[in-house]
Amino acid sequence: MNETINLLNNHRSIRKFKEKSLSREQVETIISAAQSASTSSFVQAYSIIGVSDQSKKRQLAELAGGQSYVEHNGYFLMFCADYHRHKIAADMEDMNMDRNLESMETFMIALIDTALAAQNAAIAAESMDLGICYIGGIRNNIEKVSELLKLPDRVIPLFGMAIGYPDHESDLKPRLPLKAVFHENEYEDKQTELEEYNEIISAYYN
């Protein structure tokens, strides 16, 4: 197995970081990797907001449900679906894109583009011996998060990512077995595999 596959297979969430900030070069390298992700029709329907202000991080931690690692990390990224840029671009060309921007397909493109960019960022960070943790709790208070970060219309905060130098060694959580998630040619019943996995994951949590 090559180094990249090993890196991917050893992913784990880190929830305690050393009090050491990322350098500007590290941050820009991670963002550059995120931008290299696949994007539907080259739409690039996302924006990434870096949060270094400690007061804002503290408030985001509270809005995310009191998760301390949102406040205490090397750097915090907020990943947003973004069609504000496209609205500006349409106005520049005297075009009305409102109907296009409000379709379900367009919304899904933004979600997928954002997730792909974020996963590239995660892999880049881990390749630099950093740890990451996705923060979905941000969505519990979308309006307040948007207000805090001064997000314009058509920009939606989807999730955050805490990045930093790990200060603990977390266990590798057992995933569903490949045969439980992989189907060939058609969807198959996987109850047996799920029953087996239920025993494995229960033992892990115990």
Side-chain angles (χ1 to χ4, degrees), residues 179-197:
K179 59 184 179 180
V181 299
F182 180 65
H183 308 254
E184 193 158 11
N185 296 321
E186 60 186 31
Y187 199 93
E188 305 169 75
D189 178 26
K190 301 288 186 176
Q191 182 172 338
T192 300
E193 288 80 1
L194 290 177
E195 290 172 349
E196 293 173 357
Y197 180 68

Side-chain angles (χ1 to χ4, degrees), residues 74-130:
Y75 202 76
F76 190 80
L77 296 177
M78 182 68 69
F79 288 86
C80 305
D82 184 357
Y83 278 117
H84 179 68
R85 276 198 310 268
H86 299 77
K87 171 64 173 173
I88 294 174
D91 290 344
M92 288 166 55
E93 300 296 331
D94 293 322
M95 296 177 63
N96 188 332
M97 295 286 291
D98 289 352
R99 185 174 180 180
N100 301 72
L101 295 179
E102 292 169 2
S103 73
M104 179 58 72
E105 174 65 13
T106 302
F107 179 59
M108 289 181 65
I109 285 172
L111 300 184
I112 295 167
D113 270 16
T114 308
L116 292 174
Q119 189 59 14
N120 259 30
I123 296 166
E126 290 178 339
S127 76
M128 299 157 65
D129 294 324
L130 299 168

